[in-house]
Amino acid sequence: MPGGGGDSVKVAVRVRPFNQREKNAGSKCIISMDGKTTRLKNPVNGEVKSFSFDQSYWSHDSFKEDEEGVYERESTESSYADQRRVFEDLGQGVLDNAWQGYNAALFAYGQTGSGKSYSMIGYNANKGIVPITCGELFKAIDDNKDTDKQLRVSFSMLEIYNEQVRDLLAKGKQQTGGLKVRLNPKIGFYVEGLKKVPVKNYKQIENLMEQGTYNRTTASTNMNATSSRSHMVITIKFEQVFPNAMGQSTTKSSEINLVDLAGSERANSTGATGDRLKEGSAINQSLSSLGNVISALADQAMGKKKVMVPYRDSVLTKLLQSALGGNSRTIMIAALSPADINYDETLSTLRYADRAKKIQNKAVVNESPTDRLIRELKEENAKLMAMLGGKGAKPGADTNLLEQQLQENQRKMSEMQQSWEQRLEEARRDWEKEFRSTGRNEWENHPHLMNVNEDPQLTGVVKHALVEGSTTIGKSGDPEINIALKGLGIQKLHAIVENDGRSVWIKPCAAHAQVLVNGSKIKQKHELRHMDRVKLGSSSLFLYIGYQEDRSDSDQVDKYNFDYFITELAEHEGIAVELHTPRDFDTEEDQVTAVVYQEYVDLMPVIAEANAISEELNKKLKFEPEVKSQSSHDTKAKAKEKEIIVRVTNVLTKKVWIWSKSKFLHRKLIMNGLYTQFMDHGEVTVSKDQDPFWDPVEPIFLGSCHVWLKMLAYSDEIDEHFTVHNYHGKEEAVVHVQLLPCDKDGVQLQGESMVFEPEDLKDKAFNFLLKVPSCMSVRWTREDPTRGVMCKLRFFEENEPLCSQVVWSSSVANVDYQKLFSYKNMPMSLLQYLQRESLVVELWGTQGSKEVRHTNGIQENGNRNQHLTALTNKLDQLNTQLEKLDDERANLKKENFKLKTELERQKEAVKLARVGRGSFNEIPASVLSSINSSSSTTVPKTHTVGLDVELAKSIKSFFQDMRSVQQQIKDMKTAVTTVQSSNVQNGNLKAALQQQSENLVKTENQINLCLKNLKQSVVSTIKKSKDS
C-alpha cells in the first residue's frame, strides 16, 4: 500500500529465442542473465554492460512444447521463464491493485520483433498477460459471494498512429483526423467519444479483442503498413459498487491500461543522420516524446528542481500521464532480442528501461460515494451552462471547450443513472448486430484468402471467402467490388477470382495491376493451389486456403509467415543469386553476406510501399534497393563490409540520388504522414524544403576499377584500358590509366629504368607520372547528355581521393588528369604498397540542377483525354515488353548463378591439383601460367639464387621484346581515333580495314615470338637447374 512516499515504476526485461531471420544470419547470443541482473556483450570489442531490474526473464532456450502447444521448462534446473510466471510476477500485481482501487498500467517496450506482443497478448496456446489478467479477473468476479457488492467491467481498445487516435471497437469510417484528446481538470486527459463496452464475462472480452484486432489489421493494410506501426492501448475499467458503513452507495474504481508500444527503432534519431529533414515525422514523435517524459521524470525523482515534464508533446504521453507520473501503479516490460546483429537496439532498450525504473508515482485509492459523484457532475454542469450563458465566463473563454465538457459530463451522468443490467443488454445487442453483419464465418465452408502480416498477432485475422462464381477484388467504394482493399498499389479493378466448384483461378484486370503467386508475377489466368502465397499491390499479402477436402491437419499454416513471403519474393527478384547467400557460415564473409541479405529482404516491402506512395502522390520517383560493397573502394579489394543503399530516380528528369538505408527509413516515415493526409483530405501540399521526395542533386558513385601496381614496383610502366564496374558488376565505362616512371621533371624514362627486384628501388629516388587521359563508353552520359563525369583516385597515403575535372555531355570524356609523384628516397611502405595493393579509380556522375516541377496532373494542350488514352495504351505495351525483359533477366540471373557455382567448383579443383607443386616465390603469376601451359615439367620446391637470376634475365628480355608490341598497339589505337575524328579515310573504308588487318597480323606474330622465346628460356633454365 502506498504511504506518504511514492511507488517506483516496476521494470522487467525478457529475452526471447532467436527468430528465423537471426538463425539465417548465423547470429550469436550476446545476452546473459543472473538473477535480476542482465548483461549485454558488445560483439565488436567484447565489452560487457550490466543492468539490474526488478525481474530479468530468460526465455531464450531450455524449454519444450507440451501436448497442448504450451512452452514450458524442459527440466527443473531450467531457467526458462514461461508465460504463467511472467503473469504471476507482473499481471497478478496489476489485478491486486485493481481490487484495492488503484489505477494500474502495464506497457511493453522494445524494437519490432523483440517479443512485445508475445508477452502482452501471447500466441496460440501461450496466452499473454492481457488475456490471463482478464480471465483471472472474471474468475475472481464469479467467485464473489457478496450479494451487496456489484462488480462492473468495461472494455475499450484504441490505437495511436501518426498522432491520430482511432477507436478499434467502433464500426464504420471514423472522423477525419481521429478522435480528439481532451483535458478534464479533475481526471486529466481523456479521449472524447471513445467507445467503452460493458462486459460480463471473459468470452465477451475475447470477442471484443477479436473485433479490435480485425479493425487494426484492416487499418494496417489501409495505412500502407506491412506491420503494425501503431501503439495499442487496452483499457479495462473495473468498478466495485457497495454500501459503505453509513449505508451510502460507494464506488471503488480502477483503470487498468495495457499498452503495446510500436517498435522502438521507429524513434531512433540516427535515422535522420545526415538528412536535411531532421524532424517532421509524426509517426515516430510519440516514442521520442515518451523518452523525453521518462528522462524528465527520472531527473525529477533524482531530486532535480524545476524539471518540465513534456506530457503535451504527443498524444501517447498525454494519455499515459497518470500511468507515468501520477495516480497509478505502473509496470514496464522491456522485450529484448538476443542476437548480436541487434546490439545497438538492445542496448538502447536496456538504457530506456534503466531510466524508467527511477520514476516515482503516487497512487491513491479511487473511492467515493456514487450519489456524491452524480451531485458533483450536476453542479459542474450548472456552472458550465451558466458560463455558456455569459455568467461567470472569463473574457475570451473557449465556448467550444465548455460545450465539450458539458457533453462529457452529461454522458457520464447518463451512464451512472442507467442500471448496469441495461448497459450490458445494450452492449449485447450492439455486438450481435456487429457480429452478424460481418459474416466472418462464411469463409469456413469455402476456399478463402487469409491475410499475412509482419505482426503475428495480425496474421490470419482477415479471411475473404471465395464463393462459387466470380469474385472481384479492387479498391473500396465501387459497387462492383466483392473484396474491397485499400492498400497501396490496389487498382480500382485489380483482379478477378473464379470458382467453378472444382478449382479456383485468379487473373489481373490490367497490365499494371500487380498480382504475384508464390513470388512470380502473373499476367494471365492462373490456377490457385492450396497454400499458395498471393500478393496484391505493394503490401497486401494472403495465403490461399483451398477447398475443405484439400485441407489436412498436417498443413503448416504457421510456416507461411511474413518472413517466408518476403524471402520468396527476394529469391524471385534475384537478390539471392546476386549475394550468393551461403547456407553455412564457415567464414566471416559468409556471415556478413547473410546479414546483408536479411536486411535487404526486410527492406523490400518498405521499398514497395514507398514506390506505391510516390505513384499515388504523383511524385515520379522510383526507389530501388542496392548492395554497396566496400571492396569497390578498398585498395586491397578485400574489404568484406557490405551495406544496403537505396537508389532514387526521378523518371521525368532522370535525376538520381543515393540514400543510406537509415535516411530512406526516416524519409519513409514522413512519406507515410503525407499519405495519411492525402487519404484524409484528398490532396496534400508541402513546400519543397519539407518534401521527403525532394533533395538537391549531388554526384553519385557509378563504378570503379583496380589498377594493380606490381609492374610499377619493377619501375616498369603501366599503360592500359580498364573496365569500370558498378556494385552489381555491370560495365559503366572504360578508363585509360597510365603510370609512367620518369625523372624529377616528369620526363618519361625508357626500358633501362626497370630493375630485377623491387628491393633494388629501396632508399633510391623514385618518380612517376599518374595520368588518366580519357574515359570512354560512359553509359551514364550516353543515357542523358546533360550529365557529366569525373574521376576520383585512391592511392597510398592520400587522405582524400584525388579528383579530376568534371567533363560534361560526352560519352568519351577527355579527363586529362595527371599528377607527378616524387620521392627522394623510396619508402619501404610505398614499396610494399606497390607490390600488394592497387590504385582505385572511381567514376562519379554529376548532374545539372535544372528540374521539372511536379504537378498534380499532366498538362497538355489540345484534346487532353485522347492524348492520355494514347499514352496509357503505349505505356501498357511498354509494360508488357518490360515484363518479358524482366522474365528474361530473371532467367539469366539464375543461369548466371549456376555458372558462378560451377566456376567456384572449378577453382576448388584447380587448388587441389596444385597442392604439393610448390611455387616460385618471386616469379610473377603470368610466368608460372606460361610454364604450366608449355611444359609438364615439375616445378622444384626450392631453387637457387642462380636460378632466380637466370629467370630475371629471361623476364627482362621478354619485357624488352614486348616494347615493340605495345608501340604497335598504340599506333593501332591512334589510327582508330584518327579515323573517328577525321574524314581522311572515310571514303576508302577498305583501305583502312586492310591497314588494320596488316597491323594485327604483325602484332600477333610479334606476341607469339615473344611468348615462344620466354617459354624456351624458362624451360631451359629449369632444366639446367635440375641437371645441376
Side-chain angles (χ1 to χ4, degrees):
M1 298 286 291
D7 297 319
S8 296
V9 170
K10 189 174 183 179
V11 178
V13 295
R14 189 181 191 187
V15 59
R16 58 159 173 77
F18 287 131
N19 61 28
Q20 193 58 49
R21 298 183 197 178
E22 291 161 349
K23 290 177 183 177
N24 291 343
S27 300
K28 294 179 175 61
C29 181
I30 55 172
I31 291 180
S32 60
M33 291 180 172
D34 183 13
K36 296 182 179 182
T37 301
T38 297
R39 295 183 176 88
L40 180 68
K41 181 178 179 181
N42 189 320
V44 176
N45 56 26
E47 180 187 358
V48 176
K49 297 183 183 294
S50 296
F51 300 86
S52 181
F53 300 104
D54 295 288
Q55 297 289 342
S56 290
Y57 295 117
W58 180 262
S59 300
H60 178 63
D61 56 16
S62 303
F63 62 91
K64 63 181 181 180
E65 186 175 359
D66 67 10
E67 298 81 7
E68 297 179 355
V70 177
Y71 298 129
E72 59 184 13
R73 293 191 300 169
E74 64 181 8
S75 66
T76 54
E77 292 79 20
S78 170
S79 56
Y80 177 74
D82 60 15
Q83 295 284 68
R84 191 72 200 182
R85 181 188 162 190
V86 174
F87 165 75
E88 290 170 353
D89 290 344
L90 306 179
Q92 188 63 53
V94 170
L95 268 182
D96 294 342
N97 290 331
W99 279 99
Q100 295 173 46
Y102 295 105
N103 290 338
L106 190 152
F107 61 97
Y109 180 86
Q111 72 180 107
T112 297
S114 60
K116 302 186 305 297
S117 296
Y118 179 78
S119 293
M120 292 291 286
I121 307 297
Y123 189 66
N124 291 339
N126 298 278
K127 294 186 181 297
I129 294 174
V130 173
I132 295 178
T133 299
C134 295
E136 292 293 324
L137 175 62
F138 280 104
K139 184 178 178 182
I141 290 174
D142 293 339
D143 293 341
N144 175 50
K145 305 300 182 184
D146 188 348
T147 55
D148 292 332
K149 180 184 287 188
Q150 186 180 46
L151 303 176
R152 305 173 177 177
V153 179
S154 59
F155 182 92
S156 65
M157 191 173 181
L158 63 85
E159 73 171 346
I160 304 170
Y161 176 82
N162 196 24
E163 282 298 279
Q164 296 183 7
V165 179
R166 185 170 183 270
D167 189 347
L168 292 175
L169 300 183
K171 184 183 177 183
K173 185 177 180 180
Q174 301 195 22
Q175 66 186 62
T176 300
L179 300 178
K180 303 301 180 184
V181 176
R182 306 294 185 188
L183 176 62
N184 184 291
K186 291 185 177 180
I187 65 173
F189 290 102
Y190 68 95
V191 179
E192 182 184 44
L194 182 66
K195 190 173 183 179
K196 298 178 181 178
V197 182
V199 290
K200 65 178 181 179
N201 55 48
Y202 175 59
K203 182 63 178 175
Q204 289 184 347
I205 283 187
E206 274 191 325
N207 291 338
L208 289 170
M209 286 182 66
E210 179 189 346
Q211 178 187 345
T213 306
Y214 178 89
N215 291 336
R216 191 183 188 199
T217 306
T218 306
S220 171
T221 304
N222 295 347
M223 293 184 297
N224 60 281
T226 52
S227 64
S228 177
R229 294 169 187 157
S230 61
H231 314 290
M232 180 180 69
V233 181
I234 291 175
T235 302
I236 300 170
K237 187 168 185 179
F238 177 48
E239 296 177 310
Q240 305 171 67
V241 183
F242 55 90
N244 61 15
M246 300 179 64
Q248 296 175 314
S249 176
T250 301
T251 300
K252 183 187 287 186
S253 64
S254 170
E255 282 198 355
I256 305 172
N257 288 299
L258 304 165
V259 186
D260 188 0
L261 296 172
S264 58
E265 73 279 358
R266 303 299 176 189
N268 192 339
S269 61
T270 59
T273 301
D275 191 0
R276 62 181 181 82
L277 295 179
K278 300 291 184 184
E279 301 296 339
S281 171
I283 293 174
N284 63 355
Q285 178 181 334
S286 293
L287 280 175
S288 298
S289 300
L290 181 59
N292 294 336
V293 166
I294 287 178
S295 294
L297 289 171
D299 291 341
Q300 206 174 63
M302 297 299 289
K304 282 193 177 182
K305 304 297 184 183
K306 297 182 180 179
V307 177
M308 181 68 180
V309 184
Y311 290 115
R312 293 175 177 269
D313 284 359
S314 75
V315 169
L316 177 68
T317 48
K318 287 178 183 177
L319 296 181
L320 292 182
Q321 180 175 0
S322 64
L324 290 172
N327 178 24
S328 177
R329 286 183 167 177
T330 300
I331 298 170
M332 171 181 173
I333 181 166
L336 308 175
S337 161
D340 51 358
I341 59 177
N342 293 321
Y343 171 78
D344 291 335
E345 292 291 351
T346 300
L347 178 59
S348 174
T349 300
L350 286 169
R351 286 174 171 166
Y352 202 95
D354 196 52
R355 289 199 305 271
K357 71 181 184 182
K358 299 173 185 176
I359 298 173
Q360 297 280 326
N361 282 351
K362 294 182 179 180
V364 297
V365 174
N366 302 303
E367 183 178 71
S368 59
T370 307
D371 293 340
R372 193 186 77 190
L373 287 173
I374 296 175
R375 185 176 67 252
E376 288 177 349
L377 283 172
K378 285 182 177 179
E379 291 173 355
E380 187 174 346
N381 281 355
K383 290 180 182 178
L384 290 171
M385 292 180 71
M387 292 171 70
L388 285 170
K391 299 177 181 179
K394 295 180 181 180
D398 188 346
T399 56
N400 289 332
L401 183 60
L402 295 175
E403 288 178 354
Q404 289 159 4
Q405 290 182 4
L406 180 63
Q407 290 173 5
E408 180 66 15
N409 287 347
Q410 288 174 340
R411 184 189 65 78
K412 289 181 179 179
M413 284 179 54
S414 176
E415 284 185 358
M416 288 182 178
Q417 292 171 344
Q418 190 179 25
S419 72
W420 180 246
E421 288 74 17
Q422 288 176 320
R423 291 171 62 190
L424 283 174
E425 178 61 24
E426 185 178 307
R428 184 189 65 80
R429 288 197 301 268
D430 287 346
W431 166 254
E432 288 184 349
K433 181 181 178 181
E434 164 73 14
F435 192 77
R436 279 198 301 268
S437 65
T438 59
R440 285 181 217 161
N441 291 331
E442 186 180 15
W443 52 266
E444 293 180 351
N445 302 318
H446 298 281
H448 57 273
L449 295 173
M450 182 188 84
N451 84 296
V452 175
N453 196 285
E454 184 176 359
D455 188 343
Q457 304 298 327
L458 304 183
T459 292
V461 174
V462 179
K463 298 181 177 72
H464 296 294
L466 304 174
V467 298
E468 286 195 31
S470 293
T471 301
T472 304
I473 301 173
K475 273 193 174 180
S476 59
D478 193 313
E480 298 180 17
I481 301 300
N482 304 112
I483 298 177
L485 302 176
K486 293 183 181 179
L488 281 165
I490 300 298
Q491 306 302 315
K492 185 177 180 181
L493 294 176
H494 197 90
I496 294 177
V497 180
E498 297 176 359
N499 179 358
D500 61 8
R502 298 182 304 277
S503 57
V504 175
W505 302 75
I506 187 171
K507 65 177 180 180
C509 292
H512 53 281
Q514 191 177 57
V515 179
L516 288 87
V517 178
N518 301 334
S520 298
K521 186 173 183 179
I522 64 168
K523 310 175 188 64
Q524 53 193 5
K525 192 173 179 180
H526 180 90
E527 183 177 2
L528 293 176
R529 305 287 183 182
H530 180 53
M531 308 301 278
D532 273 353
R533 282 77 60 203
V534 180
K535 179 184 178 185
L536 304 174
S538 65
S539 58
S540 298
L541 306 178
F542 297 95
L543 183 65
Y544 170 71
I545 306 298
Y547 294 94
Q548 287 183 315
E549 56 267 26
D550 296 331
R551 308 170 199 172
S552 69
D553 295 336
S554 61
D555 287 343
Q556 295 179 307
V557 176
D558 293 344
K559 171 185 174 182
Y560 300 108
N561 55 19
F562 181 83
D563 288 345
Y564 188 98
F565 269 70
I566 300 304
T567 302
E568 184 176 58
L569 290 168
E571 290 175 349
H572 278 78
E573 288 196 8
I575 181 60
V577 173
E578 185 171 332
L579 283 176
H580 194 183
T581 304
R583 297 299 178 187
D584 300 313
F585 306 99
D586 298 330
T587 66
E588 181 184 349
E589 186 173 5
D590 290 342
Q591 294 182 12
V592 170
T593 301
V595 170
V596 172
Y597 175 76
Q598 289 301 320
E599 289 182 2
Y600 189 103
V601 169
D602 294 343
L603 197 63
M604 280 180 54
V606 191
I607 292 283
E609 291 170 8
N611 280 321
I613 293 175
S614 174
E615 183 178 349
E616 291 261 357
L617 300 183
N618 198 29
K619 292 295 184 178
K620 309 301 182 186
L621 289 191
K622 181 182 179 182
F623 301 89
E624 299 171 286
E626 293 185 353
V627 180
K628 175 183 177 180
S629 175
Q630 196 59 38
S631 63
S632 295
H633 309 272
D634 179 29
T635 56
K636 295 181 180 179
K638 292 182 178 179
K640 299 180 178 65
E641 294 83 0
K642 293 183 176 72
E643 64 176 293
I644 304 300
I645 57 176
V646 178
R647 185 182 182 91
V648 186
T649 306
N650 186 312
V651 297
L652 283 184
T653 65
K654 303 298 183 184
K655 295 293 186 290
V656 179
W657 298 263
I658 299 295
W659 289 355
S660 67
K661 176 187 169 185
S662 58
K663 178 177 178 178
F664 168 75
L665 291 175
H666 175 64
R667 292 292 183 94
K668 174 59 170 53
L669 291 175
I670 307 175
M671 293 176 199
N672 288 354
L674 286 181
Y675 183 69
T676 302
Q677 294 179 38
F678 176 75
M679 294 297 290
D680 288 342
H681 306 291
E683 60 180 0
V684 59
T685 303
V686 61
S687 62
K688 187 164 70 172
D689 60 338
Q690 293 297 317
D691 188 351
F693 294 93
W694 182 86
D695 255 351
V697 293
E698 55 190 17
I700 69 163
F701 174 79
L702 301 178
S704 66
C705 65
H706 290 79
V707 181
W708 296 99
L709 305 171
K710 199 163 187 178
M711 295 283 287
L712 198 59
Y714 288 88
S715 192
D716 194 21
E717 71 175 30
I718 298 172
D719 186 357
E720 295 183 34
H721 289 74
F722 298 87
T723 303
V724 176
H725 294 95
N726 61 21
Y727 291 131
H728 305 286
K730 188 173 182 179
E731 294 183 7
E732 288 288 343
V734 175
V735 62
H736 184 191
V737 180
Q738 296 175 308
L739 292 114
L740 309 173
C742 62
D743 60 20
K744 64 180 181 179
D745 297 321
V747 178
Q748 184 178 351
L749 302 177
Q750 300 304 316
E752 63 271 10
S753 67
M754 182 179 174
V755 297
F756 292 152
E757 301 292 343
E759 286 73 14
D760 293 342
L761 294 175
K762 185 180 177 184
D763 297 328
K764 294 182 180 178
F766 185 67
N767 310 285
F768 69 92
L769 273 172
L770 167 59
K771 291 185 176 182
V772 183
S774 62
C775 195
M776 297 167 286
S777 302
V778 183
R779 189 162 63 93
W780 171 255
T781 48
R782 195 166 60 240
E783 291 175 351
D784 185 352
T786 66
R787 295 169 172 171
V789 291
M790 66 177 181
C791 290
K792 292 185 180 182
L793 303 100
R794 300 182 185 273
F795 176 74
F796 193 40
E797 295 177 346
E798 298 290 333
N799 294 327
E800 295 293 333
L802 308 170
C803 294
S804 74
Q805 64 177 341
V806 178
V807 181
W808 293 92
S809 307
S810 177
S811 62
V812 179
N814 293 319
V815 180
D816 291 333
Y817 175 83
Q818 74 173 33
K819 180 178 175 63
L820 174 64
F821 291 85
S822 294
Y823 300 90
K824 292 183 179 179
N825 296 297
M826 167 71 89
M828 191 63 190
S829 57
L830 175 59
L831 198 59
Q832 292 174 345
Y833 181 93
L834 295 179
Q835 295 178 80
R836 300 172 185 172
E837 299 186 41
S838 68
L839 165 73
V840 179
V841 181
E842 298 178 354
L843 187 65
W844 287 72
T846 57
Q847 309 170 82
S849 58
K850 185 178 180 181
E851 295 186 32
V852 175
R853 185 179 180 85
H854 296 305
T855 61
N856 292 327
I858 301 175
Q859 304 297 326
E860 298 286 344
N861 294 324
N863 194 328
R864 183 172 180 272
N865 291 333
Q866 289 182 1
H867 184 59
L868 283 176
T869 302
L871 285 176
T872 302
N873 293 336
K874 183 65 175 176
L875 183 61
D876 288 342
Q877 294 174 8
L878 292 174
N879 280 333
T880 303
Q881 295 175 12
L882 184 60
E883 287 164 4
K884 291 179 181 179
L885 290 174
D886 282 340
D887 290 341
E888 293 177 6
R889 181 175 65 89
N891 292 331
L892 286 173
K893 279 193 173 184
K894 292 177 182 178
E895 186 63 29
N896 186 37
F897 177 69
K898 293 178 182 177
L899 292 173
K900 281 185 178 180
T901 305
E902 178 63 21
L903 179 59
E904 292 297 326
R905 190 185 67 79
Q906 293 289 352
K907 284 182 180 179
E908 290 298 323
V910 170
K911 287 180 183 178
L912 291 174
R914 287 179 176 172
V915 172
R917 275 190 182 179
S919 62
F920 291 114
N921 295 329
E922 304 298 334
I923 300 176
S926 58
V927 176
L928 288 176
S929 176
S930 299
I931 296 170
N932 292 333
S933 63
S934 63
S935 173
S936 60
T937 305
T938 303
V939 180
K941 295 183 180 178
T942 60
H943 52 280
T944 64
V945 177
L947 176 60
D948 287 341
V949 173
E950 292 295 330
L951 286 172
K953 290 179 179 178
S954 300
I955 294 169
K956 182 177 181 181
S957 176
F958 171 74
F959 284 132
Q960 288 176 343
D961 292 341
M962 287 295 291
R963 294 287 181 197
S964 60
V965 176
Q966 290 176 333
Q967 187 60 46
Q968 288 174 5
I969 293 173
K970 286 182 182 178
D971 293 341
M972 291 165 62
K973 290 176 181 175
T974 303
V976 171
T977 304
T978 302
V979 171
Q980 289 178 338
S981 59
S982 70
N983 298 321
V984 175
Q985 290 186 337
N986 287 355
N988 192 351
L989 182 59
K990 185 175 181 180
L993 290 174
Q994 181 65 30
Q995 182 180 342
Q996 287 295 86
S997 177
E998 292 173 358
N999 290 338
L1000 283 172
V1001 171
K1002 290 178 182 178
T1003 303
E1004 183 182 13
N1005 292 338
Q1006 187 67 28
I1007 291 174
N1008 290 336
L1009 180 61
C1010 292
L1011 287 174
K1012 181 180 178 181
N1013 292 338
L1014 177 64
K1015 291 175 184 177
Q1016 289 176 350
S1017 299
V1018 173
V1019 172
S1020 175
T1021 303
I1022 295 172
K1023 186 176 180 181
K1024 288 178 183 178
S1025 176
K1026 290 183 69 177
D1027 292 341
S1028 62

